Each structure stands twice: as structure tokens, then as C-alpha cells.
Amino acid sequence: MSHLPAGVMRETLIDTAAITENVRHLRRLTDSEVIAVVKADGYGHGAVRSAIAALAGGATRLGVADVSEAIALRRAGIDAPILAWLHAPGASFVEAAGLGIELGISSFDQLVAAASAATADRAVGVHLKVETGLGRNGIAPADAPVVFAEAARLERIGKLRVVGIFSHLSNTSADDDRAALSRFQEALALAARLGLTPPLTHIAASHAAIDLPEARLGCVRIGIATYGLSPFADRSSADLGLRPAMTLRAAVAAVRRVPAGQGVSYGYTHRTDADTTLALVPLGYADGVPRAASGSGAVRIGGETFPVAGRIAMDQFVVDVGDHPIAVGDEALLFGDPTLGAPPVEAWADAANTINYEIVTRIGPRAVRREVAR
């Protein structure tokens, strides 16, 4: 029976070697420059360790949502190019520009703000984001001529460096993504006519980078696949040659023998059918274990899989282990690498009617990260 280190109640293992191997594999598969996306604290894996591991696997750039995330990477000593693309209204880009952080630009106002952060000897690197049908941020088609022309002018006078033009796909269907790609190519043609010839163009994230070769364009943004998880409902990590990097586990905190008819957890949504043993797992929705998976999630203890009995609480949940000889301190394994015998994170995603992305990004800090390299 596996156990956690003495005194440890819950922990999240992060296999940095898996991150490195995943990026190396995807780089070979796509034959493209890889922007490793480490937003949201590296999808819950730790942004700094994930960035270092991804760069070791051949990623040449990093992507984050917020400038604050990029600044944290710089302060940790990471000097690779970093792109940040989601900004607060009226945000100043002076600090970001001083740290060499590249900015995703979705409007004329953001373009002007980026240029205002330039100095006499330092142009600001930008990637112009165009709207191609996702309905989120990005330069609207009607605004593109003015924004592109102004970006070209600002580049000519040394205020900006237009490093890239990019967009995002919906992953609705291959036809929808090809239609968006066609709109993107029209935007690129317009940009070229107005004097913009950036070294990078990128529209493919993990889904399209793997499944839609024509969308690779020599540069891809890899998010969920960096961490060894599949962006597809019908293909596993192993099917894609990826290895999940995160394992979530806890030590069984209590074991109780109960009679038939015993109510379990809040609201007694579960009552035991017969004499049985209940094991307490010290993880709850405060740790990111979704309450929506109450009664349907499962854990593996001693090689056997046991369902959650009753409601998942803030700090803990209960599993019904029947007559199996479970003891305090035994490892309760929620998810990890299925090739090593762990349940897949997708089992918890399915139980909560969500996606694997959400499960890993919501794991809280009480499940302390411990770096491993298998």
C-alpha cells in the first residue's frame, strides 16, 4: 500500500520531465516554433517550473494571459520572450515594456498605449490579435485597416516592433476552424499590403496544432498538451503520445466501520446499503475537487477504485470501501498518469460535467506542489 511522506495530508506531484518530453514531442510533430502557454500558474502546475521545463523541451517563447503573470516569470529569472494578451482597460504597459514583455494588442487604444511605453532606445514588441469568429477580444475586421496602418507607422518610427499577428480558433469543427483560418489569412494579406511583415503568425493552440496541420503556420501555442492532457474528447493523452504531468493524492485521514443505513456527509444524499467501512479523504472543493462530482467521482486506494459517498465538502469527502482493509495513512489517488496506474483526470472531469482543463487549473494551494521528474 502506497503512503504519502510522514506528516503530509495532501499533495500535488508535478512531473517536470513529462512537461519537457511533451513539448519535445509536439515540436517534432508540428515542425513549428512552440509558444508554451503557462497562464493560470501553468494550468495549475506552477508557472515557473512549467516554463523552465517547456523551454528545456524546445519551446522558444512563453504565453500568459496577464502582464502580471509575465512579470512574475521575469522576476523568477526567465529571460525567454513572453507574450501577454489580456489587459485591463486603461492599463499602463511601461513596466512590461521595460522588462521586454511582448503585448497582445486587440484594439487601437491598446496599440497607442503600447507605443506610449516606448523609449528613445527601446521599441515595444507587440503581437496584433485579430478577430476571426470566436467573438472574444481581437481587432474587429472593420477596424483592422486603421490599426494595421497605424502599427506600420509606429514601427517605422521605432515605437513598436510588430513581432506577430495572431488569432484563436473555436475548435467547433474542422470546417469552422478552416473558415476562421481563411479569415485570418485575409487579415494577414491586408496587413502585408499596409506594410506589416511580422516574423510570426499563429492561430493554432493544442487542438489545431495536433489536428489541423494547415493551421500551424510555423508557430503554434501549446497550452493543455504541454501538461500532457488531451484537448480531444475522443482521444486520450496516451493516444497522442503525451504524458500527464500532474498527480493529485491525499492520505486517508480516518477509517470508520458503520452499519447499514448510516447517512454520509451533508444532506445524507448517500446512506449505506449494508455494514461497510468509510474512509475519509482530506480534499474538498476548497482544494479544487469539484462539489459537482459528489456521488460520482472516485479515488484509487490500494489498487482498488472506490466511489465518493455523499457530498464533497469544503475540506474532505468520504468513500465507501466496503470490506477492503483500508487504514489511516493509505494513499488515496484522485488522478495522475494512467500509464502508471493512476485514474485519468478526465474521470473527474466527466463526473463534474466539465473538462480536464478546469480540474487541473482549480487545484488549490493546500494540495502543496512537489516537483518530481520521472
Side-chain angles (χ1 to χ4, degrees):
M1 188 76 69
S2 297
H3 292 81
L4 277 67
V8 175
M9 186 158 54
R10 55 178 88 82
E11 69 176 359
T12 309
L13 304 178
I14 306 298
D15 186 349
T16 51
I19 293 173
T20 297
E21 292 166 14
N22 293 332
V23 171
R24 187 175 292 127
H25 168 64
L26 291 161
R27 212 171 153 243
R28 286 195 299 262
L29 174 70
T30 62
D31 192 27
S32 299
E33 182 169 352
V34 169
I35 302 172
V37 181
V38 296
K39 63 182 180 178
D41 197 29
Y43 287 51
H45 295 68
V48 173
R49 69 170 62 90
S50 298
I52 292 169
L55 292 167
T60 54
R61 294 173 174 270
L62 302 170
V64 295
D66 300 345
V67 165
S68 61
E69 296 175 311
I71 291 171
L73 292 173
R74 282 283 185 263
R75 288 176 176 165
I78 293 172
D79 58 6
I82 305 172
L83 168 64
W85 54 70
L86 189 62
H87 313 300
S92 167
F93 297 132
V94 172
E95 184 178 10
L99 292 170
I101 294 164
E102 296 169 358
L103 303 167
I105 298 300
S106 290
S107 69
F108 188 88
D109 287 348
Q110 288 179 358
L111 187 75
V112 171
S116 70
T119 62
D121 58 353
R122 186 196 64 228
V124 178
V126 300
H127 296 234
L128 305 177
K129 184 174 185 182
V130 295
E131 159 63 359
T132 56
L134 195 57
R136 303 195 311 194
N137 63 348
I139 300 161
D143 297 335
V146 171
V147 176
F148 288 170
E150 180 64 1
R153 184 188 75 82
L154 291 168
E155 188 168 49
R156 285 194 300 272
I157 64 174
K159 294 283 189 179
L160 298 179
R161 288 181 299 106
V162 181
V163 179
I165 299 176
F166 74 116
S167 190
H168 207 327
L169 298 171
S170 72
N171 304 333
T172 304
S173 69
D175 286 343
D176 283 300
D177 284 351
R178 289 191 177 102
L181 178 60
S182 178
R183 289 190 285 270
F184 185 58
Q185 289 167 333
E186 290 171 4
L188 295 179
L190 172 64
R193 291 196 298 273
L194 293 172
L196 295 175
T197 56
L200 299 178
T201 55
H202 48 105
I203 193 171
S206 293
H207 190 290
I210 294 168
D211 221 34
L212 196 67
E214 61 264 44
R216 292 170 184 163
L217 305 180
C219 182
V220 294
R221 300 186 308 272
I222 304 296
I224 197 68
T226 292
Y227 308 98
L229 299 182
S230 172
F232 306 104
D234 60 350
R235 276 168 282 175
S236 69
S237 297
D239 292 336
L240 302 177
L242 302 173
R243 193 151 64 84
M246 179 184 286
T247 298
L248 179 62
R249 63 183 192 160
V252 171
V255 175
R256 185 180 304 277
R257 190 71 182 173
V258 300
Q262 170 74 49
V264 179
S265 195
Y266 295 120
Y268 285 179
T269 58
H270 176 86
R271 294 179 188 267
T272 57
D273 295 328
D275 291 359
T276 191
T277 299
L278 303 177
L280 184 67
V281 178
L283 284 162
Y285 56 79
D287 305 298
V289 178
R291 188 175 184 272
S294 297
S296 53
V299 299
R300 189 161 297 169
I301 307 174
E304 299 287 338
T305 299
F306 303 105
V308 174
R311 287 186 179 148
I312 294 169
M314 186 179 293
D315 313 301
Q316 56 201 278
F317 62 86
V318 175
V319 292
D320 189 332
V321 301
D323 296 322
H324 290 273
I326 306 301
V328 169
D330 290 347
E331 176 194 70
L333 184 58
L334 277 74
F335 61 80
D337 184 351
T339 66
L340 300 177
V345 68
E346 288 78 13
W348 277 92
D350 291 345
N353 193 30
T354 186
I355 55 176
N356 51 11
Y357 300 65
E358 183 177 358
I359 300 297
V360 293
T361 55
R362 69 188 296 169
I363 300 304
R366 294 195 308 187
V368 176
R369 273 60 172 172
R370 181 161 66 88
E371 189 172 323
V372 297
R374 297 185 175 124

